[in-house]
Amino acid sequence: MSYIIKGHKHDWEIVIGLEIHAQVISNSKLFSGSATAFGSDPNTQVSLIDAAMPGMLPVINKHCIAQAVKTGLGLNAKINMYSVFERKNYFYADLPQGYQITQFLHPIVVEGLLTIDMEDGSTREIGIERLHMEQDAGKSIHDKDPRRTFIDLNRAGVCLMEIVSHPAMHSPEEAGAYVRKVRSIVRYLETCDGNMEEGSMRADVNVSVRPVGDTKLWTRTETKNVNSVRFMMQAIEFEAQRQVEVWEAGGEVKQQTRLFDPDSGETRSMRSKEEAHDYRYFPCPDLLPIELTQSYVDDIKATMPELPDAKKHRLMSDNGLSAYDADVLVAEREVADYFEIVAKGRDAKVAANWVISNLFGALKGAEKGILESPVSAENLGNLLDLLADDTISGRIAKDVFEIMFSTGQDPAAIVEEKGLKQITDTGAIEAAVDQAIAENPEQADEVRAGNGKAIGWFVGQVMQKTQGKANPQAVNKLLRDKLGG
Amino acid sequence: MPPVASRLILLFRKWSNKMTKPNELTIADARDALTKGDLSAVELTTSCIQAMDGAQDLNAFITETPELSLERAAQSDARIAKKESRGALEGIPIAVKDLYCTEGVLTTAASHILDGFVPPYESTVTENLRNAGSVMTGKTNLDEFAMGSANVTSHYGPVKNPWKLDDGKDRVPGGSSGGSAAAVAAHLSLGAIGTDTGGSIRQPASFCGIVGMKPTYGRCSRWGTVAFASSLDQAGPMTKTVRDAAIMLQGMAGHDVKDSTSVPMVVPDFEAAITGDVRGLKVGIPKEYVIDGALEEISEIWKKGAEMLRDAGAEIIDITLPHTKYALPAYYIIAPAEASSNLSRYDGVRYGLRVEGDSLDEMYANTRGEGFGDEVKRRILIGAYVLSAGYYDAYYVKAQQVRSRIAEDFNTAFQDVDVILTPTAPSTAFAIGEKMDDPIVMYMNDVFTVPASMAGLPCISVPGGLGDDGLPLGLHLISKPFDEQTLFRAADVLERQANFTAQPKGWEINR
Amino acid sequence: MSLDTDTVRRIANLARIKIEEEKMAPLADELNQIIGWIEQLSEVDTDGVAPMTSVTKIDMPSREDVISDGGCEDKVLANAPSGEPPYFAVPKVVE
Ligand SMILES: [Mg+2]
Ligand SMILES: [Zn+2]
């Protein structure tokens, strides 16, 4: 598990802290009534408030507060009953007010704890320092004109949650698992859609390195706006390696903001962010403090869905699933919901096998997500019922599943239509067994002589004669009775 | 016969003899004349427009809107004819400080940086006034972004006080609502709206011999008003009488869901609160308002004010507001800090002036370097400095703690008294060009008005008399939060007792 | 604490205000005077005093999460001093 970079002078450890910006799911912006939808025409989702016209004032969207509280509860954090919006002052083309309204000294959420799930099934706990609410900036468009940058304010003022971890991760894999877990939780809670490609979840990655055994934090760099887990892991790897090289060559790592280039897999210093910042935070005088009550928080708590960790433990303890299977099934809320429908009132292990091996395999082959699955959870459950009550055999079930996947049909209809019902009539099976023995006297003698393996061959023969519809246990028993195997 | 009644009769006699022009009426009188049909809104507005034409030298307006006001006056007349009058302000010409955004009408904040800015929206206060039937006559001059106490920092040049002495020097009207004060004093409109951050309504009212009132913070919406210091800015009326101020505030105030600091309270009937009776009212006289180097005439008028209220049956009580002297320095941390942030939006990107540059940062610096005047730059720099890393606690947090202390002082005092009486300003109007070398000397103009602003309290300046130089001096009353009714009641009695009938002298000659 | 010209230069840069070099020294003097005067606040005992957050003693009002604004790009862009509708435009920014 430990991720060590071997240098010439030292073995180096990485220290990673993440700031995730998660866009809150809301109809309207944090402080104005304009829409938040992705991909609209430029500057069509902009109010006079978002454009910072003279005299415009913010009024908070109460749903955004509820979303932040819900997310805080989902991150096992403490909800502050008193929090304050402050202004972070800096000039930038896509920041119309000349300040971002954010939370600084008194954030709404502090002291969270997240359990991350590693590939090998082990878990680790990562501390979360805070979650605060803030306004998103607009978008700068650099590629439309050689001399000018264009500004679209559609995103300006959309509510973000900034989730700040402690510098508590030590490998790209841990950082990846952390982001995936945060994403999983906010998607369960429906507080953020977690869509990294559209930018509704973005990570700023703080990376430093230190010789193994050192306990203080060395100078870190911040790599901005990395928009996939894979890129983030690449950026960490590159940045850690770069820093080790700088230190080992006798240089000094500069505290700076860097940008990840997905084409080269490298990070580089951001020119526009090089100057030292002095954000001159102070409480926003246009707003009052957010004051919550415990009963408000309790009401939100009461609406929380079961979260992935709880679900995982339930699947393991109540349903006997392995940690690995449980992890796979709970990571995405949609998958978990699907699985729970399939497993309801049925053998959970069988259901898990079918979802993980058969369904996921088919979906992967078809490049489809769970929500686009041609096989509905209800139908997959029906299939398992047909299997359980011996209407069809396991082999037939696989065939039926394939047909279901390509046609979306109900399994009972397929079985009916194609006449795939298992033959349980002993007479019919006996006839097929007798025929097989009569047609293959040499093999029959082998079984009688004590070659148990040959019995399997006979089972295959019988199944062939019955187009796979004979009950395999019945065939086996008859063969043994007749051949004494 | 009480003085007010005799004044009214005199006024009406003049009016019927065609000696008093309609623009010289009070709002209350004009309302009655309009209701009776003795006067039309168009006549009234026309008379204001004529007065404005003759008063160009005062530079009281940045933008005059004669066509628009005549159009609105005609609409008022039509409503009055159909018995659909919207109330006390129907057809009343009102001048609007050019800090309020007005839809389709140039709005400058007296700054170069808002060159050409025509808001596609209307501020809540001006919208309220419009809905109450009033007629906007134009946008009045002010100190740039309301930063000043003399109306000398305007990009559009200084405003002259209509009060003149025979030394040939023009006097400042006070600031920052200097254009509004001058417009009312010179009868260019019946009333005006100003904004008050640390005294910007009350101090010019004192300098121009009119009534200026700042309501409780949260009583009027700030939406659509160019922000100077958000935690202090309040809209307020500037009028010829206390009654007019009550009538105007009625039309301006009200809860606004678009302003998170607007208070969800019913607006009481302010005019009805004016009863003429202050018997038993407890009036506090804070000893800390005696300041070193203040003119003798200031203490005189203050003493006289207390006597007048006592004569009317009020009880005068000595009180203490121990942190008074720290209000002004604390204000000069908090207001610039908020301003430095509020003014960041003037960056040449979305509206107003833009001075190009090779890079984004150069464009910003060029635009803001050229667009802001010296006083605005000074305050932005002070504001940025006191908020900057390493200084925030020592300056900003300290100032807000002092502010809490100041508010506590008032709280304590108001356990014993109903209103507090102080002078409005430490001097009469000074000549344009004076007090310009030392910013702190200029800042001292607001020494008596700032403490109440810091506590968000309602307060009013009423003409108290003339100073030794023959220029007006105001008296300042402060009341409890949202107790504007008591404030108006006391101010009205003070006004009757002071019986201030003087009119700008030199101005009449020049006219 | 006193403001030297370097501090004024730094603050002016933070505030994005161009100030002619020859004006730096007199400006520093002026600001120093103001700051010096402000520092009398240190005389006030503020131990344990909560800084004022707002003079308004109400709960912060909030809005329902409904789309009630926007869709007014004509108004938003109407005053733009330099632009390329439907965008605002600034000198090229290099990241
Ligand atoms: Mg951050
Ligand atoms: Zn952030």
Side-chain angles (χ1 to χ4, degrees):
Chain A
M1 147 80 55
S2 70
Y3 181 96
I4 299 298
I5 298 173
K6 296 244 176 248
H8 303 295
K9 299 178 181 160
H10 299 285
D11 284 354
W12 297 80
E13 177 189 43
I14 318 185
V15 180
I16 305 158
L18 292 175
E19 291 170 23
I20 293 177
H21 283 93
Q23 180 181 326
V24 165
I25 296 175
S26 65
N27 298 316
S28 63
K29 294 183 179 177
L30 179 55
F31 295 118
S32 84
S34 30
T36 57
F38 179 79
S40 302
D41 288 341
N43 287 313
T44 55
Q45 295 183 166
V46 182
S47 71
L48 300 169
I49 298 165
D50 308 321
M53 291 284 162
M56 292 300 98
L57 297 171
V59 181
I60 196 165
N61 180 339
K62 63 174 73 162
H63 182 59
C64 293
I65 300 176
Q67 293 284 65
V69 169
K70 200 173 188 182
T71 308
L73 293 171
L75 297 172
N76 309 301
K78 181 180 160 219
I79 309 301
N80 278 334
M81 296 296 147
Y82 176 89
S83 65
V84 177
F85 283 107
E86 302 203 28
R87 293 183 182 178
K88 177 181 182 177
N89 294 283
Y90 66 97
F91 286 88
Y92 201 65
D94 55 22
L95 187 73
Q97 296 165 136
Y99 53 83
Q100 178 195 37
I101 303 180
T102 179
Q103 297 187 307
F104 184 57
L105 286 182
H106 304 279
I108 190 161
V109 173
V110 289
E111 294 167 21
L113 196 66
L114 196 72
T115 305
I116 59 171
D117 310 289
M118 307 304 293
E119 292 272 340
D120 62 2
S122 67
T123 60
R124 282 213 49 210
E125 307 233 288
I126 305 294
I128 289 171
E129 188 187 308
R130 59 191 280 152
L131 174 156
H132 66 252
M133 307 167 72
E134 64 185 24
Q135 300 177 291
D136 203 351
K139 196 166 86 187
S140 294
I141 299 150
H142 304 296
D143 57 4
K144 279 203 190 301
D145 187 290
R147 290 172 306 108
R148 291 178 300 170
T149 292
F150 289 162
I151 309 298
D152 171 12
L153 298 178
N154 276 352
R155 232 171 51 192
V158 168
C159 181
L160 302 178
M161 298 179 284
E162 183 175 328
I163 303 165
V164 182
S165 81
H166 284 293
M169 287 160 275
H170 301 285
S171 70
E173 289 69 31
E174 283 182 9
Y178 173 85
V179 171
R180 279 193 295 266
K181 192 57 170 283
V182 170
R183 186 172 175 275
S184 170
I185 288 172
V186 293
R187 283 168 57 82
Y188 264 76
L189 294 170
E190 293 174 320
T191 56
C192 168
D193 68 21
N195 191 329
M196 293 188 86
E197 298 81 64
E198 288 177 2
S200 35
M201 214 174 115
R202 322 190 279 272
D204 298 343
V205 192
N206 293 305
V207 174
S208 64
V209 295
R210 64 185 172 198
V212 169
D214 198 341
T215 51
K216 65 173 190 291
L217 293 170
W218 287 37
T219 312
R220 67 182 165 85
T221 62
E222 181 177 16
T223 304
K224 285 267 180 211
N225 282 347
V226 191
N227 68 355
S228 83
V229 172
R230 190 167 57 90
F231 288 159
M232 182 191 68
M233 291 167 65
Q234 272 181 31
I236 292 169
E237 229 165 298
F238 175 85
E239 190 51 25
Q241 194 63 47
R242 186 190 70 83
Q243 289 183 17
V244 166
E245 282 163 24
V246 170
W247 290 122
E248 294 227 331
E252 194 162 333
V253 169
K254 273 191 275 182
Q255 176 156 1
Q256 59 186 187
T257 305
R258 299 177 70 86
L259 212 56
F260 178 72
D261 178 358
D263 296 329
S264 64
E266 297 180 357
T267 68
R268 64 178 164 82
S269 175
M270 259 175 99
R271 275 178 56 181
S272 60
K273 297 269 184 176
E274 262 170 13
E275 63 151 305
H277 278 282
D278 186 344
Y279 290 121
R280 290 156 287 140
Y281 286 96
F282 74 106
C284 180
D286 289 330
L287 295 163
L288 301 169
I290 302 180
E291 296 186 75
L292 305 177
T293 60
Q294 190 56 48
S295 72
Y296 170 87
V297 175
D298 291 344
D299 286 351
I300 290 177
K301 203 179 254 169
T303 68
M304 304 258 293
E306 184 184 34
L307 290 177
D309 286 345
K311 206 181 273 286
K312 174 182 168 183
H313 290 125
R314 181 169 55 80
L315 294 183
M316 289 169 67
S317 59
D318 294 7
N319 301 99
L321 297 193
S322 69
Y324 177 83
D325 282 0
D327 272 346
V328 170
L329 290 171
V330 304
E332 295 282 343
R333 182 178 184 168
E334 291 81 2
V335 171
D337 288 349
Y338 186 103
F339 167 75
E340 301 243 52
I341 296 170
V342 177
K344 188 165 187 200
R346 304 188 177 99
D347 183 326
K349 280 187 184 169
V350 173
N353 262 331
W354 273 86
V355 170
I356 293 170
S357 334
N358 303 59
L359 180 68
F360 283 5
L363 288 173
K364 198 172 176 194
E367 293 180 359
K368 284 187 161 137
I370 189 90
L371 292 177
E372 304 150 311
S373 170
V375 178
S376 72
E378 289 76 11
N379 278 347
L380 183 53
N382 292 339
L383 180 66
L384 300 195
D385 290 344
L386 295 176
L387 195 56
D389 67 9
D390 285 341
T391 307
I392 54 174
S393 68
R395 228 205 71 197
I396 293 289
K398 291 201 169 82
D399 296 342
V400 173
F401 178 80
E402 261 175 50
I403 299 168
M404 287 165 75
F405 198 85
S406 54
T407 65
Q409 270 177 291
D410 177 313
I414 295 167
V415 168
E416 190 61 39
E417 188 185 308
K418 307 241 176 213
L420 300 173
K421 242 186 190 152
Q422 182 159 255
I423 302 166
T424 45
D425 167 13
T426 336
I429 296 173
E430 192 167 358
V433 168
D434 288 345
Q435 197 185 357
I437 293 169
E439 282 169 9
N440 302 287
E442 282 176 33
Q443 286 84 347
D445 286 343
E446 268 186 52
V447 176
R448 285 186 192 103
N451 181 355
K453 273 189 199 158
I455 236 184
W457 184 85
F458 266 107
V459 173
Q461 290 299 303
V462 176
M463 293 309 273
Q464 216 166 48
K465 287 185 188 302
T466 59
Q467 291 93 47
K469 293 182 286 186
N471 180 309
Q473 286 86 41
V475 173
N476 222 299
K477 182 168 181 299
L478 277 167
L479 281 167
R480 282 176 199 281
D481 288 352
K482 288 177 190 281
L483 298 174
Chain B
M1 197 182 294
V4 163
S6 64
R7 234 166 78 208
L8 257 170
I9 287 165
L10 191 69
L11 211 62
F12 262 98
R13 195 171 302 139
K14 278 189 184 171
W15 159 232
S16 50
N17 292 339
K18 301 288 173 203
M19 285 181 70
T20 303
K21 296 173 186 162
N23 60 301
E24 293 175 2
L25 292 170
T26 63
I27 292 173
D29 292 343
R31 165 185 62 185
D32 298 344
L34 284 164
T35 312
K36 282 194 207 139
D38 292 345
L39 178 69
S40 75
V42 168
E43 280 173 313
L44 184 57
T45 298
T46 304
S47 141
C48 287
I49 292 170
Q50 282 168 358
M52 286 160 75
D53 283 344
Q56 294 301 311
D57 183 52
L58 294 182
N59 198 27
F61 286 84
I62 292 173
T63 305
E64 296 178 357
T65 54
E67 294 87 0
L68 192 71
S69 53
L70 283 172
E71 194 187 308
R72 289 185 188 168
Q75 289 164 4
S76 276
D77 283 332
R79 285 194 294 266
I80 293 168
K82 283 192 280 178
K83 304 250 181 280
E84 287 170 6
S85 169
R86 291 177 176 179
L89 290 171
E90 185 68 84
I92 302 295
I94 282 171
V96 172
K97 187 180 186 177
D98 203 14
L99 201 64
Y100 292 90
C101 291
T102 44
E103 190 172 357
V105 177
L106 181 72
T107 297
T108 69
S111 182
H112 187 25
I113 210 159
L114 271 171
D115 269 7
F117 175 62
V118 178
Y121 52 96
E122 184 82 18
S123 83
T124 299
V125 164
T126 50
E127 173 116 20
N128 287 351
L129 281 172
R130 215 185 138 180
N131 290 339
S134 76
V135 171
M136 179 175 83
T137 54
K139 306 293 292 289
T140 58
N141 206 340
L142 66 149
D143 280 300
E144 185 181 0
F145 281 106
M147 295 179 191
S149 308
N151 214 128
V152 291
T153 69
S154 168
H155 177 64
Y156 296 90
V159 175
K160 293 178 185 173
N161 193 323
W163 288 80
K164 315 240 177 223
L165 297 176
D166 40 22
D167 60 4
K169 288 189 207 162
D170 286 314
R171 258 66 195 171
V172 302
S176 66
S177 311
S180 288
V184 173
H187 302 290
L188 310 186
S189 68
L190 274 67
I193 47 175
T195 61
D196 191 313
T197 303
S200 281
I201 286 175
R202 294 159 285 157
Q203 182 258 13
S206 176
F207 277 21
C208 291
I210 63 165
V211 172
M213 192 263 177
K214 181 196 91 73
T216 315
Y217 182 85
R219 181 65 97 178
C220 290
S221 169
R222 294 183 295 114
W223 193 89
T225 310
V226 173
F228 160 18
S230 313
S231 74
L232 295 150
D233 296 344
Q234 259 299 288
M238 305 178 78
T239 53
K240 299 173 191 177
T241 66
V242 172
R243 180 173 297 274
D244 284 4
I247 295 170
M248 259 188 77
L249 183 60
Q250 197 81 39
M252 299 165 66
H255 178 227
D256 182 6
V257 293
K258 294 187 286 188
D259 175 359
S260 303
T261 61
S262 161
V263 173
M265 278 178 94
V266 177
V267 180
D269 186 337
F270 296 125
E271 195 184 359
I274 298 176
T275 60
D277 183 2
V278 293
R279 281 171 303 173
L281 187 81
K282 290 177 181 151
V283 180
I285 306 289
K287 65 169 194 262
E288 291 80 8
Y289 280 64
V290 181
I291 56 162
D292 296 343
L295 299 170
E296 183 57 28
E297 58 186 343
I298 301 297
S299 332
E300 289 287 298
I301 195 119
W302 186 17
K303 236 177 266 164
K304 249 169 61 190
E307 278 160 21
M308 290 187 262
L309 287 170
R310 185 191 293 125
D311 292 348
E315 186 186 342
I316 305 299
I317 298 169
D318 287 332
I319 58 164
T320 174
L321 298 168
H323 296 89
T324 298
K325 99 174 241 221
Y326 300 105
L328 201 59
Y331 173 86
Y332 274 96
I333 290 173
I334 292 162
E338 292 180 10
S340 72
S341 176
N342 282 336
L343 269 55
S344 294
R345 63 187 57 199
Y346 306 101
D347 62 4
V349 178
R350 296 166 316 286
Y351 41 79
L353 179 74
R354 166 139 162 184
V355 182
E356 290 296 346
D358 287 341
S359 67
L360 177 63
D361 282 336
E362 235 181 81
M363 187 275 281
Y364 285 150
N366 291 345
T367 299
R368 292 164 60 81
E370 199 170 313
F372 292 134
D374 286 345
E375 181 61 22
V376 172
K377 283 183 198 168
R378 200 179 282 142
R379 296 202 196 184
I380 291 176
L381 294 177
I382 292 279
Y385 179 70
V386 298
L387 290 175
S388 65
Y391 300 106
Y392 178 74
D393 287 332
Y395 291 122
Y396 186 80
V397 174
K398 181 80 183 181
Q400 292 287 27
Q401 287 174 315
V402 171
R403 192 176 179 184
S404 292
R405 280 266 196 242
I406 292 163
E408 280 165 28
D409 285 356
F410 277 110
N411 252 337
T412 309
F414 279 125
Q415 287 170 9
D416 301 325
V417 299
D418 303 306
V419 292
I420 293 169
L421 177 73
T422 78
T424 307
S427 73
T428 58
F430 45 89
I432 293 174
E434 276 174 23
K435 303 197 184 190
M436 296 285 287
D437 306 335
D438 183 350
I440 297 165
V441 171
M442 186 64 93
Y443 296 168
M444 289 306 286
N445 270 295
D446 293 330
V447 67
F448 296 136
T449 49
V450 155
S453 301
M454 295 289 271
L457 300 170
C459 30
I460 191 166
S461 177
V462 175
L466 296 175
D468 298 343
D469 52 10
L471 294 174
L473 273 172
L475 283 166
H476 186 226
L477 285 163
I478 307 165
S479 72
K480 297 172 194 171
F482 299 101
D483 191 10
E484 283 88 354
Q485 287 151 290
T486 302
L487 190 70
F488 282 127
R489 176 160 62 96
D492 164 69
V493 169
L494 196 60
E495 179 183 55
R496 289 171 194 232
Q497 297 284 333
N499 192 21
F500 184 85
T501 52
Q503 290 290 308
K505 263 194 311 194
W507 168 239
E508 267 175 349
I509 298 158
N510 283 2
R511 202 153 30 153
Chain C
M1 287 173 246
S2 91
L3 272 107
D4 52 17
T5 50
D6 279 348
T7 310
V8 176
R9 202 173 289 115
R10 183 174 63 81
I11 296 290
N13 179 49
L14 272 180
R16 297 294 187 275
I17 294 178
K18 184 178 175 179
I19 288 171
E20 306 301 332
E21 202 45 46
E22 65 270 20
K23 288 193 176 161
M24 287 289 181
L27 188 58
D29 283 348
E30 220 168 63
L31 298 183
N32 252 321
Q33 236 186 82
I34 298 170
I35 293 290
W37 169 70
I38 283 170
E39 280 175 356
Q40 61 178 294
L41 289 187
S42 58
E43 299 164 13
V44 185
D45 177 9
T46 50
D47 280 358
V49 176
M52 176 79 82
T53 45
S54 173
V55 295
T56 316
K57 303 277 179 280
I58 54 168
D59 289 340
M60 178 155 68
S62 56
R63 326 183 320 270
E64 295 299 330
D65 181 28
V66 292
I67 299 167
S68 56
D69 207 341
C72 53
E73 50 283 22
D74 47 335
K75 288 184 179 180
V76 162
L77 293 161
N79 281 283
S82 158
E84 181 98 358
Y87 297 103
F88 296 105
V90 297
K92 190 89 180 167
V93 177
V94 185
E95 283 193 330

